[in-house]
Amino acid sequence: MSAPDIDTQVLVVGAGPVGLMLAGELALGGADVVVLERRTGPLTESRASTLHARTMELLDQRGLLEELGTPPAGGPGHFGGTRLDLTTDSPYSGQWKVPQVRTEELLEGWATRLGARVVKGHRLTDLRTAPHTVEATAEAEPGPGGAASALRVRAAYVVGCDGESSTVRELAGFAFPGRDATRELLRADVADVEVPDRRFERHPGGLAISARGPGGVTRVMVHEYGAPVGRKPGPPSFARVADTWRRVTGDDIGGGAPLWLNSFGDALRQASQYRRGRILLAGDAAHHQMPVGGQALNLGLQDAANLGWKLAAEVRGTAGPGLLDSYHAERHPAGRRVLDNIAAQALLLLGGSGTEQVRSLFGELLREPRVRAHLAGTIAGVDVRYAAEPGAHRLVGARVPYLRFGTGADTAEGPGSSFAALRPGRGVLVDLGGRPTPVLAAVAPWRDGRVDVVAATPEPGGAAPEFTSALLRPDGHVAWADGTVPELEAALRRWFGPAARR
């Protein structure tokens, strides 16, 4: 067999936000990674533009917020069209508006600075697995002579981040059970129209949403109760959007200039497995859901954060048994929970007059502080808690609390917070006792580039810490806190592989 055009450790298919986030995480973890993208250039429209608190935390943990700047707040949140205060315990409480094209630009720049290679203008056509590798074939756009050229990539692992119609998922034979859409929301960005802003405005015949954005462009979204879901490939016609808008609202937008058209329904599917041998799925390739309130994008970015450091450790040869399988074990239930949440929202949002009583009751429930906090935490992604051993500290499995440090650490610069300590993409043992302990001695065999130690004191006047010592995973979840030394050593072996020989 002839040599491939590209040899790499990990091939990521899809250079949307999820694929680029994963590429950056892999490169940060020391893996050689190539990203394959069928587009030849950036998006010309902004699709998913809402970032939630947990995603903002992840960007902070990688030092990307300074480059991003402070994005505009996204206004009040909602659950199925009912206003919901998204206040949580995160320093990035609420929701933030970042155009998808800017998110991709930020993540691509980060990933490529770390050494990831992005190959654009190539469409995946074939995958062939061998005992130790996967070979992918992709076709480039036809050249000047009219013939398309093929590119062959050999990798140890392939990850499909190529969206809800994933070619990777199809070629690799992943089961994708669920249901097709029964309701549909039409969407258009339109210039040269004057319509009032509408926030989940319910009419006898349907639901209407409109908001004027930068440059005078108005985004309209409309659902007509009982209307059949469009079956034609591609976006809806502007005539269809305008006719539906007129029937629902009585307003005429037909004289406007459509800049972008699409539609999305309430389909609900999830891959039965997120990993099949050397092929894995992340983002919409792993789960297809209605993009309500930006949850689909944020769910996918959090998939990437969970998978990246684990797959990097696997290809570097430092992963312990079962580390890579923990990706499915942790993210499949997290995805299922979000899909159930979105299904409930879709029913409230797109249901007709038969759901009015449910919406009314739900509005009453949202005035209860515990109900509001529960749903806000779910939408924001800050309540994700991975499984922990019985009797473990209550933080184990949860995301690391934000904690500012009052003194430097035993590193040259001294990270200023628990988030900043994670920027190198390694595990971190945070000790707030400020002196050598058996805990610090126990972690020594893993201080070979896998785990850092930060010895610091909390910032005076800040929030009281919930632990004295804690082991943090690279994705910002707590692996161990204030337990015994043998429990710490077990957590180190589980998440960071065998101890180095002394």
Side-chain angles (χ1 to χ4, degrees), residues 392-393 395-397 428-430 439 467-473 477-492 495:
H393 191 284
L395 286 178
V396 175
V428 181
L429 191 285
V430 177
V439 166
F467 60 85
T468 300
S469 297
L471 177 65
L472 313 183
R473 300 176 0 173
H477 281 258
V478 179
W480 170 91
D482 289 345
T484 67
V485 169
E487 289 169 342
L488 170 59
E489 292 172 336
L492 286 161
W495 298 113

Side-chain angles (χ1 to χ4, degrees), residues 159-428:
V159 187
C161 300
D162 49 342
E164 62 190 45
S165 301
S166 170
T167 302
V168 172
R169 188 183 65 230
E170 180 180 351
L171 291 174
F174 283 82
F176 200 47
R179 59 173 173 77
D180 293 331
T182 58
R183 302 178 181 91
E184 184 178 37
L185 196 64
L186 306 179
R187 178 164 59 176
D189 286 350
V190 188
D192 305 326
V193 293
E194 294 291 338
V195 296
D197 283 358
R198 293 177 165 90
R199 180 175 171 83
F200 304 110
E201 189 174 275
R202 309 193 75 85
H203 294 261
L207 174 77
I209 305 163
S210 57
R212 183 174 290 268
V217 175
T218 298
R219 173 163 289 184
V220 300
M221 292 187 279
V222 62
H223 168 70
E224 186 174 16
Y225 300 142
V229 174
R231 299 297 180 186
K232 293 182 180 179
S237 67
F238 182 55
R240 182 181 170 210
V241 176
D243 287 347
T244 305
W245 184 263
R246 178 182 48 76
R247 287 195 298 271
V248 170
T249 69
D251 291 344
D252 184 8
I253 62 171
L259 305 178
W260 177 55
L261 297 155
N262 85 334
S263 64
F264 52 89
D266 61 349
L268 202 69
R269 293 187 178 275
Q270 185 180 28
S272 300
Q273 304 164 276
Y274 282 12
R275 177 191 179 194
R276 295 194 68 190
R278 294 184 173 274
I279 302 178
L280 302 99
L281 303 175
D284 286 351
H287 38 75
H288 179 194
Q289 60 287 304
M290 188 174 178
V292 176
Q295 281 181 273
L297 169 64
N298 290 268
L299 179 63
L301 291 171
Q302 292 156 34
D303 288 345
N306 184 284
L307 175 59
W309 66 278
K310 296 174 180 177
L311 185 51
E314 185 72 27
V315 299
R316 288 198 328 265
T318 61
L323 178 65
L324 192 53
D325 285 332
S326 73
Y327 168 62
H328 170 88
E330 292 182 337
R331 293 308 298 170
H332 193 276
R336 182 73 256 167
R337 187 163 178 256
V338 171
L339 263 62
D340 289 345
N341 169 293
I342 289 174
Q345 290 197 63
L347 180 62
L348 290 170
L349 188 64
L350 304 183
S353 59
T355 59
E356 290 297 337
Q357 293 85 354
V358 177
R359 276 193 292 273
S360 178
L361 176 61
F362 202 82
E364 294 180 22
L365 290 173
L366 285 182
R367 291 195 286 271
E368 293 292 328
R370 289 182 63 184
V371 174
R372 185 213 64 77
H374 173 78
L375 290 176
T378 300
I379 290 174
V382 299
D383 70 341
V384 173
R385 181 182 296 271
Y386 300 133
E389 294 294 328
H393 191 284
R394 72 175 194 85
L395 286 178
V396 175
R399 80 194 210 285
V400 58
Y402 181 74
L403 181 66
R404 290 202 60 82
F405 299 147
T407 64
D410 63 346
T411 58
E413 299 174 352
S417 71
S418 54
F419 286 8
L422 291 161
R423 287 178 185 170
R426 297 186 285 269
V428 181

Side-chain angles (χ1 to χ4, degrees), residues 35-282:
V35 183
L36 194 67
E37 169 57 47
R38 66 184 303 171
R39 286 180 290 152
T40 57
L43 287 170
T44 57
E45 74 282 333
S46 186
R47 300 182 182 184
S49 60
T50 299
L51 300 183
H52 290 142
R54 180 56 185 148
T55 298
M56 293 289 284
E57 291 180 357
L58 292 171
L59 294 178
D60 187 356
Q61 290 165 14
R62 294 299 179 254
L64 292 170
L65 287 188
E66 183 175 343
E67 182 180 348
L68 179 64
T70 303
H78 72 94
F79 189 96
T82 300
R83 188 184 180 109
L84 175 65
D85 176 5
L86 292 177
T87 300
T88 66
D89 65 349
S90 171
Y92 304 106
S93 197
Q95 57 183 357
W96 307 86
K97 285 297 181 182
V98 181
Q100 183 174 328
V101 65
R102 177 67 184 115
T103 302
E104 292 185 5
E105 178 186 54
L106 174 75
L107 294 174
E108 183 173 349
W110 173 59
T112 54
R113 287 194 301 271
L114 290 168
R117 293 172 285 170
V118 180
V119 179
K120 296 186 177 180
H122 287 76
R123 177 175 57 88
L124 181 72
T125 57
D126 190 44
L127 284 176
R128 295 182 183 275
T129 58
H132 303 292
T133 59
V134 183
E135 187 170 290
T137 303
E139 287 188 0
E141 293 299 316
S149 61
L151 175 73
R152 288 173 51 240
V153 183
R154 183 170 59 202
Y157 289 90
V158 172
V159 187
C161 300
D162 49 342
E164 62 190 45
S165 301
S166 170
T167 302
V168 172
R169 188 183 65 230
E170 180 180 351
L171 291 174
F174 283 82
F176 200 47
R179 59 173 173 77
D180 293 331
T182 58
R183 302 178 181 91
E184 184 178 37
L185 196 64
L186 306 179
R187 178 164 59 176
D189 286 350
V190 188
D192 305 326
V193 293
E194 294 291 338
V195 296
D197 283 358
R198 293 177 165 90
R199 180 175 171 83
F200 304 110
E201 189 174 275
R202 309 193 75 85
H203 294 261
L207 174 77
I209 305 163
S210 57
R212 183 174 290 268
V217 175
T218 298
R219 173 163 289 184
V220 300
M221 292 187 279
V222 62
H223 168 70
E224 186 174 16
Y225 300 142
V229 174
R231 299 297 180 186
K232 293 182 180 179
S237 67
F238 182 55
R240 182 181 170 210
V241 176
D243 287 347
T244 305
W245 184 263
R246 178 182 48 76
R247 287 195 298 271
V248 170
T249 69
D251 291 344
D252 184 8
I253 62 171
L259 305 178
W260 177 55
L261 297 155
N262 85 334
S263 64
F264 52 89
D266 61 349
L268 202 69
R269 293 187 178 275
Q270 185 180 28
S272 300
Q273 304 164 276
Y274 282 12
R275 177 191 179 194
R276 295 194 68 190
R278 294 184 173 274
I279 302 178
L280 302 99
L281 303 175

